[in-house]
Amino acid sequence: MPIYANYAATTPALSQAVVKELREYAGGAQLNAGRNFEGLEAGAIALRARRVIGKLFGLSDPLRVIFSGGATQSLNMAIHGLVRPGDHVLAMSVEHNATARPLDYLRKDGVIELDWIQCDPEGSLDPEKIRGLIRKNTRLLVMTHASNVLGTILPVRECCRIAREYGLLTILDMAQTAGVLPFTVDDYFDIVAFAGHKGLRGLAGIGGFVLGKSAAERMRPWISGGTGSGSHSLDMPEFLPDRFEPGTQNTIGILSLAASVEEILRTGVESIRKRERVITARFISGLRTIKNIRVCGTLDPDRSVSVVSVVIPGRDAAEVSRLLFERRGIITRSGLHCSPLAHRTAGTFPGGTVRFSFGNGTREDEIDAILEALDGL
Ligand SMILES: Cc1ncc(COP(=O)(O)O)c(C=O)c1O
């Protein structure tokens, strides 16, 4: 049996209960929310998903949950919707390309000024550092909640609290933390983006973002089109969620999230976190006993999600990854993980790392088998 250690990329299997709901849905009529009478049911599915996701993030208003094609699309919508020409933007030196590339395109086009806030090699920072980088025209702070390379959790609430003191807008990328780290979206956050297919255990191709209380007024719809509402006007509707949900929705994707997040809530994110912490701690303490292996990121499982990158000096990361798969069926991801910035921060650019990441299906004996395989390389 293969051992899957690539949860940071995607959760490989939907639960049986989720699959059952999706089968039933797919066997029925195709529905389009807001477009015809039957579409009412699609709208109801979306509302069900908004409610449970709202609950997951402690929201009082589920209409602030907006669906999109994923975390990348959400982050692009947020960045392009919030910045204006001449703005100065701050972002972390461990960002994923989902934020780094759109920000850098805007910089290259002369639309914004951009500074990366240098994190330490473990992938965290002293939030106070932000103060010294804020200028008169600084408008936005973009930050990932946990690096997808290093696993290190950033002090996001503290950083965004400081950003708020200076009137900045804030975007939080929860691709690696939604569903695995308890988190309440409070007033420090304008946009909180999530992916559906990672910790939230839904289908790929669905995701979204939570709009903070004041962000809706400031954010322009970066993608516009038909919403089935306010069709007399060439402007997008003012009300949520329609303002940011143009086009036909991915209803089966949304249904997968409704069903999977209901399960997550039944288990409780606290207990998911506890379990993942145990797994990560076991892996890190095992790695420390293996000679000639460098563990990147923090070694403190209280400060990281279940993502651990390693370097074996003198060995090529892709080669190590291939050997682990060929000899023991261990599925990892090697290279730069769509985050060259994080690798530069950790000192692992351009060679990259072998990344192990764990999730709801990971067992202790699998961790031990991975450690044994690494020891025997
Ligand atoms: C930190 C981070 N941000 C954004 C993304 C993009 O997510 P998606 O590919 O689902 O849009 C990822 C995916 O790995 C990620 O790890």
Side-chain angles (χ1 to χ4, degrees), residues 8-9 69-73 75 96 98-99 144 146-148 173-176 195-198 206 333 337-338 355:
T72 301
Q73 193 177 314
L75 290 161
H96 186 277
T99 51
T144 188
S147 161
N148 65 306
D173 174 1
M174 283 193 71
Q176 291 297 334
H197 62 111
K198 298 181 194 272
I206 188 70
R333 187 172 168 211
H337 312 94
C338 301
R355 183 185 72 182

Side-chain angles (χ1 to χ4, degrees), residues 13-172:
L14 302 178
S15 82
Q16 284 310 308
V18 173
V19 170
K20 185 168 175 284
E21 277 215 50
L22 297 187
R23 272 190 209 286
E24 277 163 21
Y25 175 82
Q30 173 110 307
L31 307 167
N32 196 342
R35 308 304 199 278
N36 50 22
F37 181 66
E38 308 79 51
L40 286 175
E41 196 186 323
I45 290 170
L47 187 57
R48 175 180 158 204
R50 287 185 223 283
R51 284 204 173 111
V52 287
I53 292 168
K55 204 164 167 195
L56 183 80
F57 292 124
L59 306 179
S60 52
D61 180 5
L63 299 184
R64 282 165 48 205
V65 176
I66 309 295
F67 293 114
S68 74
T72 301
Q73 193 177 314
S74 300
L75 290 161
N76 272 264
M77 288 169 76
I79 288 168
H80 288 277
L82 287 175
V83 298
R84 303 286 182 269
D87 284 346
H88 174 235
V89 178
L90 292 171
M92 297 294 151
S93 76
V94 291
E95 291 301 310
H96 186 277
N97 279 343
T99 51
R101 282 180 171 166
L103 285 172
D104 200 51
Y105 270 119
L106 286 167
R107 180 195 64 80
K108 283 187 287 228
D109 287 346
V111 179
I112 60 166
E113 293 164 19
L114 175 64
D115 275 313
W116 302 110
I117 305 175
Q118 190 57 49
C119 296
D120 56 42
E122 282 190 356
S124 192
L125 81 165
D126 173 3
E128 290 297 322
K129 199 169 178 176
I130 293 173
R131 291 187 198 277
L133 296 165
I134 293 175
R135 307 182 197 157
K136 262 200 182 131
N137 61 335
T138 309
R139 181 180 177 89
L140 177 66
L141 172 69
V142 178
M143 67 185 302
T144 188
H145 197 175
S147 161
N148 65 306
V149 173
L150 304 167
T152 310
I153 300 164
L154 281 94
V156 292
R157 184 160 275 112
E158 189 52 23
C159 290
C160 291
R161 190 189 63 71
I162 291 171
R164 275 287 193 264
E165 276 181 39
Y166 296 84
L168 269 60
L169 300 163
T170 60
I171 295 177
L172 180 65

Side-chain angles (χ1 to χ4, degrees), residues 7-14 18 53 56-57 66-74 173-179 193-209 250 252-261 264:
Y7 279 85
T10 197
T11 292
L14 302 178
V18 173
I53 292 168
L56 183 80
F57 292 124
I66 309 295
F67 293 114
S68 74
T72 301
Q73 193 177 314
S74 300
D173 174 1
M174 283 193 71
Q176 291 297 334
T177 51
F194 58 87
H197 62 111
K198 298 181 194 272
L200 295 182
R201 307 180 196 173
L203 284 173
I206 188 70
F209 59 93
N250 175 0
I252 196 158
I254 294 172
L255 176 62
S256 75
L257 271 185
S260 63
V261 176
I264 287 171

Side-chain angles (χ1 to χ4, degrees), residues 327-344:
R327 292 185 187 167
R328 305 292 288 269
I330 298 165
I331 298 165
T332 58
R333 187 172 168 211
S334 63
L336 296 176
H337 312 94
C338 301
S339 185
L341 295 177
H343 281 281
R344 284 185 192 278

